[in-house]
Amino acid sequence: MARGFHEPGDKPRRFYGAVSVASMNGGFTVMLDGRTLRGPKGAQTVLPNAALAELVAEEWAGQGEHLALAAMHATRLANTAIEAIPQARDATAQQIADYAASDLLCYRASEPAGLVARQQERWDPVLSRAEAEIGLRFIPVSGIVHQPQPQETLERVKALALELDDFGLAGLAFGVPLFGSAVLSLAVQRGWLSGEAAYDLSRLDEAWQEEKWGIDDEAAERTARLRGEAIMLDRWFAALS
């Protein structure tokens, strides 16, 4: 029986050699030296298709002498989808709707003019598509004063989340705080935007500041790490589709 995704704050030694994918229980699992990967609660890591299993297997195969567990985001998503989401689907969907109530794309800068124009140019098409294709009407506002969003929009966001299977819902919930936006996470899930494009849209303000003042090493490291998570999420949704 293979160990699963344990001790996220540590870097234990790699305890396996070969990583492979095998069919199991109508789906596919990851094998470590021929033993089934399991999650923190002991559930077998059974994914719905080979592509998703390969994504998780790639993380395990890419580890060195020590396991960088905290950076294994596809594995974490798989564990969440299998061991947590089934018992918390409604609560998870509600959290996504709550994020939509203060969605990043709705809060615009009041100045400088260049940033205001950039947000309008790049965010408005995403909101327009969300309204046209999936019935989400949002009300943008300038400044930080809270703008209540239509209740029917928030209910629709929750309904869209609940339409997804456990693996899709886990991915959507992962993307919402990553982007600060339920709309951007839905855009990636539906294939309107790549994960990297959505991440770049989510940090227009930061990019504007970097253009004016430069970027330090710590900020650059954080940006690279989060962009990597966004790219992984894009691959997650692509594998599901």
Side-chain angles (χ1 to χ4, degrees):
M1 182 183 301
R3 288 174 57 188
F5 194 53
H6 299 289
E7 304 163 344
D10 300 331
K11 284 193 175 182
R13 284 186 176 276
R14 179 166 174 160
F15 56 90
Y16 57 92
V19 181
S20 59
V21 168
S23 59
M24 173 178 282
N25 298 339
F28 293 83
T29 191
V30 176
M31 309 292 286
L32 306 180
D33 289 338
R35 295 171 293 179
T36 305
L37 179 66
R38 292 178 180 268
K41 297 180 181 178
Q44 292 178 327
T45 304
V46 180
L47 292 307
N49 60 49
L52 212 59
E54 291 284 359
L55 183 60
V56 174
E58 181 182 308
E59 288 187 336
W60 289 88
Q63 298 302 302
E65 181 182 355
H66 292 86
L67 304 181
L69 298 176
M72 297 170 71
H73 304 298
T75 300
R76 176 155 56 98
L77 267 181
N79 292 335
T80 298
I82 294 166
E83 296 188 334
I85 292 294
Q87 296 78 36
R89 286 183 55 84
D90 190 81
T92 302
Q94 184 60 54
Q95 289 174 356
I96 294 168
D98 291 344
Y99 243 98
S102 55
D103 201 278
L104 171 72
L105 300 194
C106 294
Y107 288 86
R108 310 295 178 86
S110 54
E111 57 179 356
L115 178 57
V116 173
R118 185 178 296 184
Q119 289 176 339
Q120 182 176 355
E121 175 188 0
R122 299 186 186 178
W123 287 354
D124 282 0
V126 183
L127 290 180
S128 295
R129 187 167 186 177
E131 181 172 6
E133 295 195 18
I134 51 177
L136 300 180
R137 183 178 69 85
F138 287 91
I139 305 171
V141 62
S142 295
I144 60 174
V145 176
H146 178 64
Q147 168 63 56
Q149 298 300 326
Q151 184 61 32
E152 58 268 25
T153 294
L154 305 184
E155 292 173 358
R156 177 65 175 152
V157 169
K158 182 175 180 178
L160 288 168
L162 288 173
E163 288 176 3
L164 301 175
D165 65 16
D166 293 341
F167 294 89
L169 183 55
L172 190 67
F174 180 91
V176 169
L178 174 62
F179 303 130
S181 168
V183 178
L184 288 177
S185 193
L186 281 164
V188 177
Q189 181 265 321
R190 303 181 81 84
W192 301 348
L193 294 170
S194 69
E196 188 168 16
Y199 179 66
D200 287 341
L201 287 177
S202 77
R203 62 181 309 274
L204 289 186
D205 291 21
E206 292 93 330
W208 177 271
Q209 294 299 322
E210 290 167 3
E211 291 170 12
K212 303 301 179 184
W213 309 109
I215 182 171
D216 60 36
D217 291 342
E218 183 177 349
E221 185 280 330
R222 178 179 183 275
T223 297
R225 174 173 53 82
L226 295 179
R227 180 173 279 111
E229 293 182 19
I231 292 170
M232 181 284 301
L233 181 61
D234 193 11
R235 295 182 65 196
W236 178 270
F237 285 133
L240 279 176
S241 65

